Amino acid sequence: MPESTGVVLAELISVVHRCSRTATLRLPEALSPSAYRTLALARDRGPVRLGELAELVRVSQPGMTKIVAALSADGLLTRIADPEDLRARTVSITATGIEFLGDYARELGAALTEEFADLSPDELTALANATDILLSRLDR
């Protein structure tokens, strides 16, 4: 009998976190998970207020201020005036940040290549299909 959707998703989330932690530990200069999520959210959501980013990444606002400052110093993010409220600032990813995020994602994947090098074509297709399913559900 197939497991319930909730059970399968819980196991999937656990495995994905384990893959992420393992890959990150293998990179010589890995981003913190909070910094990585901040860049990905800035890319996916467009200009976003600092407070909203803090809530989405699940860090304090002062913590997010530090993350954004560090990523901005590296040229990966920029802070601009919010067109709806000129007193407020929004955070946007830069072209350099988008390129960095893509390169970093490829590095994370490469860090796990050894464990997955012997995947059959069918297994690789199954993983690609699972990824497409997850993205389609999350992007609704």
Side-chain angles (χ1 to χ4, degrees), residues 2 4 10 14 16 19 22 39-40 43 46 51 54 61-62 70-73 77-78 97 103 105 110 130 132 136:
S4 75
S14 179
V16 168
C19 286
T22 301
L39 282 174
R43 178 200 59 204
Q61 193 150 344
L71 294 172
S72 295
L77 292 178
T78 186
D103 291 345
D132 289 344
S136 73

Side-chain angles (χ1 to χ4, degrees), residues 25-106:
L25 289 170
R26 292 181 181 172
L27 296 182
E29 294 185 28
L31 283 178
S32 72
S34 297
Y36 183 77
R37 283 193 304 273
T38 299
L39 282 174
L41 284 164
R43 178 200 59 204
D44 297 345
R45 292 186 175 245
V48 60
R49 286 188 177 193
L50 193 100
E52 182 182 355
L53 262 178
E55 185 177 315
L56 292 168
V57 176
R58 300 185 67 108
V59 298
S60 67
Q61 193 150 344
M64 181 53 65
T65 298
K66 289 179 184 177
I67 292 168
V68 168
L71 294 172
S72 295
D74 290 339
L76 305 177
L77 292 178
T78 186
R79 294 184 73 177
I80 56 174
D82 185 335
E84 295 177 16
D85 180 355
L86 295 178
R87 297 167 298 169
R89 309 286 281 170
T90 59
V91 177
S92 294
I93 194 166
T94 63
T96 302
I98 291 170
E99 184 178 338
F100 175 87
L101 198 56
D103 291 345
Y104 189 75
R106 284 185 287 283

